[in-house]
Amino acid sequence: MKTKHIIWIVIGVIALILISSFVGGYNRLISYSEDLNNKLSEIDNQLQRRNDLIPNLVETVKGYASHEQEVIGSVTDARAKLAGASSPEEVIEGDAELSSALSRLLVVVENYPELKADANFRQLTDNLEGTENRIAVARRDYNQSATRYNTTIRRFPTNIMANLFGFEKIEYFKAQEGAEQVPEVNFGD
């Protein structure tokens, strides 16, 4: 009789451990997923801050460099593309395109010393630089969170639960191909 009770107690303890492990693993995946959403939201906040600064920057540059319409237009188009992004992949692509267009715009500015001396322009570029730094930090935080999440959903036995409940690998924010190259700007010499 006692042996039967001990067997049931052992089975119950093992079942309790398995259930606790399952629930704990699932809750950890939910926490990591929410953390990722939070980090992505912070990137969106910083991208919106940059988007809000760009029209003022473009208008200031237009006043000095009205014949640089192609570069100014590329910034405006890239900003609109980023604003219309609906998925993380579209945000990543739009962000890369806007960063590239802004780089080309700032290269154009080098030809206009009076623009670089303008107090409004300096303040806008300082704000833009600070925002770019915040975006870089938000991307880094997101990628760290994505690493933790992706590693967790691939480890055994959590990978079984992740597959069962549809937790999928998250893409990282990466520099766009060719981002390490300096943009080429032609001034029509």
Side-chain angles (χ1 to χ4, degrees), residues 2 15 62 75 93 126 135 146 154 158:
K2 284 189 173 193
K62 270 185 187 178
V75 171
E93 184 181 320
D126 287 347
I135 291 169
R154 293 180 62 208
T158 312

Side-chain angles (χ1 to χ4, degrees), residues 53-66 72 105 109 112 114-116 118-125:
L53 288 170
I54 288 172
N56 294 329
L57 182 67
V58 167
E59 287 303 314
T60 302
V61 172
K62 270 185 187 178
Y64 285 91
S66 58
I72 292 169
L105 179 68
V109 166
Y112 300 93
E114 65 278 0
L115 174 58
K116 290 189 327 187
D118 182 78
N120 189 32
F121 177 78
R122 282 195 324 268
Q123 181 182 9
L124 286 169
T125 55

Side-chain angles (χ1 to χ4, degrees), residues 130-186:
T131 300
E132 290 295 336
N133 289 336
R134 288 183 185 118
I135 291 169
V137 168
R139 285 182 191 140
R140 184 199 65 217
D141 291 348
Y142 174 84
N143 283 344
Q144 288 173 343
S145 185
T147 298
R148 183 179 59 210
Y149 171 84
N150 286 338
T151 301
T152 301
I153 67 168
R154 293 180 62 208
R155 284 188 178 155
F156 182 80
T158 312
N159 63 338
I160 296 168
M161 186 181 349
N163 288 331
L164 183 64
F165 289 107
F167 289 92
E168 295 180 358
K169 184 178 185 235
I170 299 296
E171 291 298 317
Y172 297 98
F173 261 90
K174 299 179 217 165
Q176 194 173 32
E177 198 171 307
E180 71 282 353
Q181 298 173 1
V182 177
E184 184 179 319
V185 178
N186 183 358

Side-chain angles (χ1 to χ4, degrees), residues 11-29 157-158 161 165:
I11 290 172
V13 168
I14 291 172
L16 186 62
I17 290 171
L18 289 174
I19 290 170
S20 295
S21 176
F22 183 81
V23 169
Y26 179 79
N27 287 339
R28 185 173 49 252
L29 287 174
T158 312
M161 186 181 349
F165 289 107

Side-chain angles (χ1 to χ4, degrees), residues 32-112:
Y32 289 171
S33 178
E34 287 302 312
D35 186 50
L36 272 168
N37 290 335
N38 182 346
K39 302 286 195 243
L40 189 58
S41 180
E42 182 56 27
I43 291 171
D44 286 342
N45 288 339
Q46 296 307 324
L47 292 175
Q48 183 61 51
R49 184 180 197 291
R50 180 175 63 181
N51 272 352
D52 293 345
L53 288 170
I54 288 172
N56 294 329
L57 182 67
V58 167
E59 287 303 314
T60 302
V61 172
K62 270 185 187 178
Y64 285 91
S66 58
H67 61 282
E68 304 290 353
Q69 288 304 314
E70 182 181 330
V71 174
I72 292 169
S74 71
V75 171
T76 304
D77 293 345
R79 180 178 176 266
K81 182 176 182 177
L82 180 59
S86 60
S87 71
E89 292 79 17
E90 289 176 356
V91 170
I92 291 168
E93 184 181 320
D95 173 49
E97 192 174 312
L98 183 56
S99 293
S100 176
L102 283 173
S103 294
R104 289 191 306 276
L105 179 68
L106 294 176
V107 168
V108 165
V109 166
E110 292 299 316
N111 284 341
Y112 300 93

